[in-house]
């Protein structure tokens, strides 16, 4: 993976990973910054620069490490080694403020963050920690190798489980790691038409299915996120087609052991403004007749629309995939 420039906090070079990144990307400009949270040059760019901004890499130190309670597949959401992504999914919930959240930020103090998770896990055995809610760790791993550090160490020293989702297929380096069943891998899936038009820069559905099959065969507990469900024209046919492709292509072991999570899309005024300027040919995901306000500047599907979608998906999942557990639909 290549970048146009690296913006970095000078103190990050005091860390082993920071020095590795400096060597790895020595061929591009390194621009010092005071804080990864506030880069004036980025903040002054117009929405139309959104895609090009993702050609920059930010290197810094994560200074806050707040644990947020979660009651879905994990007990806590835990900020970890990265934030943001190089992909350009048109609905990305990290895009709260494009000039802060658009680009990939790498945090070099991985040792101290994992130390804290391990200490916490010893005090609360059996808990699950979501470490991938702010980024895609499979993508990040191709740059940092952080999962090669995190998975074996937590397997040896941690109590409970780590989990992370992905939209990428580059899992082969993870297959040989000692994980002791403590790492729950979740692959996000959508119909290929939605991946091609809306989840820009991510792996294809076929690649994702192959990757989760390999992770399952390597002994990782695995699940699928059908997320986000986007009610585009013809959505029922698209999602039935997705389920049928899963039934045909998932390995017998994966179909036997997997669980499902289903999340309907939320959208926002910020998304719509950025997408309109940066991706003028992309589909407009705002549907006034199907959506309603959800907090300041945010939209979600109307209750009756959500109920119809949930009923349809539950029925089709049972018909196509049988008794596969659905952890939640949100």
């Amino acid at each position: 993976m290549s970048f146009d420039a690296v913006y970095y906090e000078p103190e990050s070079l005091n860390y082993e990973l920071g020095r590795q990144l400096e060597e790895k990307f020595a061929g591009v400009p390194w621009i010092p910054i005071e804080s990864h949270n506030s880069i004036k040059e980025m903040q002054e760019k117009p929405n139309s620069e959104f895609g090009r901004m993702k050609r920059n890499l930010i290197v810094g130190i994560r200074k806050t490490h707040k644990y947020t309670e979660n009651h879905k597949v994990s007990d806590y959401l835990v900020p970890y080694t990265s934030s943001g992504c190089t992909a350009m999914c048109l609905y990305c919930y990290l895009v709260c403020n494009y000039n802060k959240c658009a680009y990939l930020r790498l945090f070099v103090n991985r040792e101290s963050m994992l130390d804290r998770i391990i200490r916490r896990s010893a005090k609360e055995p059996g808990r699950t920690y979501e470490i991938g809610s702010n980024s895609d760790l499979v993508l990040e791993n191709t740059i940092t190798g952080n999962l090669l550090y995190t998975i074996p160490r937590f397997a040896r020293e941690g109590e409970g489980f780590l989990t992370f989702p992905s939209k990428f297929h580059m899992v082969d380096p993870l297959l040989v790691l000692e994980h002791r069943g403590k790492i729950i891998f979740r692959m996000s899936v959508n119909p290929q038409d939605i991946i091609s038009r809306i989840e820009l820069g991510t792996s294809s559905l076929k690649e994702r299915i192959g990757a989760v099959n390999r992770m399952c065969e390597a002994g990782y507990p695995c699940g699928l996120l059908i997320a986000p469900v986007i009610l585009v024209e013809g959505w029922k046919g698209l999602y039935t087609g997705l389920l049928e492709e899963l039934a045909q292509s998932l390995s017998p072991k994966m179909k036997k052991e997997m669980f499902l999570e289903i999340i309907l899309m939320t959208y926002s005024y910020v998304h719509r403004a950025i997408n309109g300027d940066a991706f003028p040919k992309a589909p407009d995901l705002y549907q006034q007749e199907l959506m309603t306000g959800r907090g300041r500047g945010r939209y979600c599907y109307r209750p009756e629309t959500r109920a119809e979608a949930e009923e349809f998906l539950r029925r089709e999942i049972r018909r196509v995939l049988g008794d596969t557990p659905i952890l939640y639909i949100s």
Side-chain angles (χ1 to χ4, degrees), residues 14 40 43 50 62 96 98 121 189 210 212 218 226-227 261 269 273 276 291 307 314 325 328:
N14 295 333
K40 185 177 180 181
Q43 293 169 340
F50 180 83
R62 189 182 282 285
C96 51
Y98 85 95
S121 75
V189 296
V212 77
I226 302 177
E261 304 166 75
Y269 171 84
M291 291 180 165
R314 287 189 184 276
Y328 63 87

Side-chain angles (χ1 to χ4, degrees), residues 188-192 195 203-210 242 245-246:
S188 177
V189 296
N190 245 322
Q192 183 57 50
I195 292 173
S203 295
S204 69
L205 176 60
K206 181 178 180 180
E207 289 172 324
R208 298 185 200 186
I209 293 173
L242 168 64
E245 184 163 354
L246 294 174

